[in-house]
Amino acid sequence: MKYKNTKKKGPAPRGKGKFSINQDPFFAGEPKKRRKIDYDDDDIESADSEDYDDEVEKSGPEESEGEEEEEETADEKRKRVATAYLEKIREIARREKEEEEDGDEGREVGEKEGERDSLVAKILQQEQLEESGRVRRVIASRVQKPEATDEFRVLLKHRQSVTAVALSEDDSKGFSASKDGSILHWDVSSGKGVKYLWPSEEVLKSHGAKDPQGRATKQSKHILALAVSSDGRYLASGGLDRHIHLWDTRIQEHIQAFPGHRGPVSCLTFRQGTSELFSGSFDRTVKIWNAEDRAYISTLFGHQSEVLTIDCLRKERVLTVGRDRSMQLWKVPEESRLVFRAPASSLECCCFISNDEFLSGSDDGSIELWSLLRKKPVYIVKNAHPLLDGLKNFEQDEGKISNGHSENGNLNPGSYHSSSAYSWVSSVTVCGGSDLAASGAGNGSVRLWAIESETKDIQPLYNLPLVGFVNSLAFAKSGQFLIAGVGQEPRLGRWGHLPAARNGVLVHPIKLS
């Protein structure tokens, strides 16, 4: 077979037969660029072939530029994004200096540009320090007193108690889970949501799920924990079925199930800026996974009882609390841990304030401030959530808590005794990299706190009235609103019941001066 070179640029391979390359049906199909678009995105509808071919022939240089954009490398993308961000910061600095420069017309242009560049450098440095946790954003002092019209409003409802809420990095999307096994993906501004659908048992097994163990006869969809990755791509859920389920938020579908825990998965968190996932369980262990690679990494041992809450920042350090009255800081690369002992009978929740400071809540109604340099709390707020006189309409299940033991406190709703089960601090959160914190219980309000870095103490700000057990809290990164996951029952167990509460996700605006 002989191929004839129509452009006559040199000899071509020869063989039997004679015909032009333009007559070969293989080369008579659609242009390469059009085929590439169709393969990359099935939703893109290309134009009619004649019009499209004419457009490609006329485009010339523009076509090559488009191909270069499609072949952009990861380094080129990072450079482009960084350049765009730098221009944005420069524009902010230019506006801040604009008024000053209007009054100094006699100064040289180079001197003005030098000052603007210095201001840009200061802004970038400040942002980097805040992101790393070395400098704390001052927000608490700017919080204005809530007005009578400012109250929690229901963003969306669940059929049973909400056990976990999570916000995306840009605060635009939210996720919530309930004891009824439902997971909702919703828009913060409108409250419109999409319910994630659990796949069939056959599909779950194909994704890695194992058969129920022990006394369980079927897979339980009861969810206790949620976590969303920094890029917003992955959502992890865990609960009574002892599995960690991975969801793709872009298509709202289940993509992987991680077996391995021998007890209910009680808490989850992603390391900031990565796809590294940490899980805590009633089996007393903390496990590390990689969501991107769908892989198990390792297991951390140290707790002597159920792990209840877990948190992580950008460093490979994990903070956990358990029913063994300890809070533990795991230094993963060093394969070491620090153990902090609490005077409370049980720590219920915890979160990072910075890399060196932590906040916790306990079942005796107190909130503790911790420092990396001390094994005991630096500051304790006792009776942080006293039971309010107005909270009369409640029921209890003979004082039983989730681990089957009797609660040793006074459950009289008229009592201000901090050991009342309805005063247990069930959730704490900190507005990322700032001095503003919030705590929730079942006493009828969410409380805002100011964390003083110089005096190393916690000062109360305002009470935000709310009926129900506050099982989960999430601050917007800007500090302008607070999300609460509320239910008629506590997250762990069914030892109490508040019929007047609404099961759902509630939002409260935070006004800053």
Side-chain angles (χ1 to χ4, degrees), residues 463-511:
N463 285 340
L464 308 179
L466 175 63
V467 179
F469 288 94
V470 183
N471 295 322
S472 184
L473 289 169
F475 257 120
K477 194 172 183 181
S478 61
Q480 295 181 350
F481 62 89
L482 176 66
I483 297 290
V486 182
Q488 295 179 345
E489 299 174 347
R491 181 174 76 102
L492 301 175
R494 302 180 183 275
W495 45 261
H497 189 72
L498 290 168
R502 289 175 289 185
N503 298 320
V505 179
L506 280 66
V507 59
H508 196 291
I510 306 294
K511 295 183 178 179

Side-chain angles (χ1 to χ4, degrees), residues 213-500:
Q213 299 177 354
R215 293 176 295 178
T217 57
K218 63 179 181 179
Q219 296 285 3
S220 172
K221 299 298 189 296
H222 184 133
I223 300 172
L224 297 176
L226 282 181
V228 60
S229 59
S230 297
D231 59 5
R233 180 179 176 182
Y234 297 110
L235 178 72
S237 66
L240 297 188
D241 70 346
R242 306 177 184 181
H243 286 73
I244 297 163
H245 297 278
L246 200 62
W247 307 78
D248 191 327
T249 61
R250 299 169 299 178
I251 56 177
Q252 290 93 41
E253 289 186 2
H254 187 279
I255 56 175
Q256 186 69 42
F258 294 132
H261 279 295
R262 301 177 63 185
V265 178
S266 54
C267 47
L268 294 164
T269 184
F270 277 96
R271 185 160 71 93
Q272 291 181 3
T274 72
S275 59
E276 196 171 16
L277 176 66
F278 297 89
S279 61
S281 169
F282 278 21
D283 64 7
R284 309 178 185 182
T285 66
V286 174
K287 292 185 182 292
I288 309 175
W289 317 82
N290 190 299
E292 186 70 30
D293 297 336
R294 317 280 201 275
Y296 161 79
I297 297 178
S298 63
T299 300
L300 307 177
F301 299 92
H303 275 289
Q304 302 303 311
S305 188
E306 299 101 322
V307 181
L308 300 181
T309 310
I310 192 168
D311 194 23
C312 184
L313 295 179
R314 191 168 292 273
K315 281 189 174 182
E316 285 190 89
R317 293 183 179 181
V318 187
L319 188 68
T320 58
V321 296
R323 292 199 191 278
D324 54 5
R325 297 177 57 185
S326 74
M327 178 170 65
Q328 303 193 18
L329 179 66
W330 310 80
K331 298 181 179 180
V332 178
E334 295 88 344
E335 297 183 353
S336 63
R337 60 189 173 97
L338 298 176
V339 181
F340 303 86
R341 297 294 179 184
S345 57
S346 176
L347 291 174
E348 294 292 314
C349 50
C350 68
C351 66
F352 274 103
I353 301 172
S354 64
N355 289 321
D356 302 327
E357 289 185 311
F358 331 113
L359 192 68
S360 68
S362 62
D363 65 359
D364 68 350
S366 63
I367 294 176
E368 300 85 16
L369 175 65
W370 304 79
S371 172
L372 186 65
L373 304 177
R374 292 185 60 179
K375 293 297 182 70
K376 298 292 183 180
V378 176
Y379 190 84
I380 300 177
V381 179
K382 294 185 177 181
N383 200 16
H385 282 265
L387 200 62
L388 304 180
D389 283 331
L391 191 63
K392 299 290 185 181
N393 187 18
F394 78 102
E395 301 173 1
Q396 65 185 54
D397 296 337
E398 300 179 356
K400 295 292 184 180
I401 56 178
S402 58
N403 60 4
H405 300 293
S406 296
E407 160 60 13
N408 60 351
N410 180 8
L411 295 182
N412 180 4
S415 171
Y416 278 81
H417 195 277
S418 62
S419 65
S420 168
Y422 286 80
S423 295
W424 288 14
V425 181
S426 53
S427 56
V428 292
T429 186
V430 173
C431 182
S434 75
D435 59 349
L436 179 62
S439 61
N443 71 318
S445 69
V446 171
R447 302 199 70 181
L448 299 181
W449 307 89
I451 303 170
E452 304 292 341
S453 57
E454 295 183 359
T455 56
K456 298 295 182 183
D457 61 3
I458 306 172
Q459 296 299 326
L461 290 177
Y462 306 109
N463 285 340
L464 308 179
L466 175 63
V467 179
F469 288 94
V470 183
N471 295 322
S472 184
L473 289 169
F475 257 120
K477 194 172 183 181
S478 61
Q480 295 181 350
F481 62 89
L482 176 66
I483 297 290
V486 182
Q488 295 179 345
E489 299 174 347
R491 181 174 76 102
L492 301 175
R494 302 180 183 275
W495 45 261
H497 189 72
L498 290 168

Side-chain angles (χ1 to χ4, degrees), residues 28-86:
E30 298 174 339
K32 179 180 179 182
K33 183 176 180 181
R34 180 184 173 187
R35 292 200 305 273
K36 185 173 183 179
I37 293 176
D38 288 339
Y39 294 157
D40 288 344
D41 192 346
D42 294 333
D43 296 331
I44 295 178
E45 296 181 0
S46 55
D48 293 339
S49 60
E50 294 181 1
D51 297 337
Y52 188 83
D53 292 342
D54 292 341
E55 183 180 350
V56 171
E57 291 177 1
K58 295 177 182 179
S59 62
E62 294 181 1
E63 178 185 353
S64 61
E65 293 177 3
E67 289 179 354
E68 290 179 1
E69 290 180 2
E70 291 174 358
E71 298 174 359
E72 183 182 36
T73 64
D75 290 338
E76 290 172 345
K77 182 178 180 180
R78 282 194 291 267
K79 181 180 178 181
R80 175 172 55 80
V81 172
T83 302
Y85 182 70
L86 184 59

Side-chain angles (χ1 to χ4, degrees), residues 11 37 48 62 88-89 92 102 138 163 177 182 184 303 414 446 457:
I37 293 176
D48 293 339
E62 294 181 1
K88 180 180 177 182
I89 297 298
I92 295 174
D102 288 342
V138 179
T163 55
S182 63
L184 298 184
H303 275 289
V446 171
D457 61 3

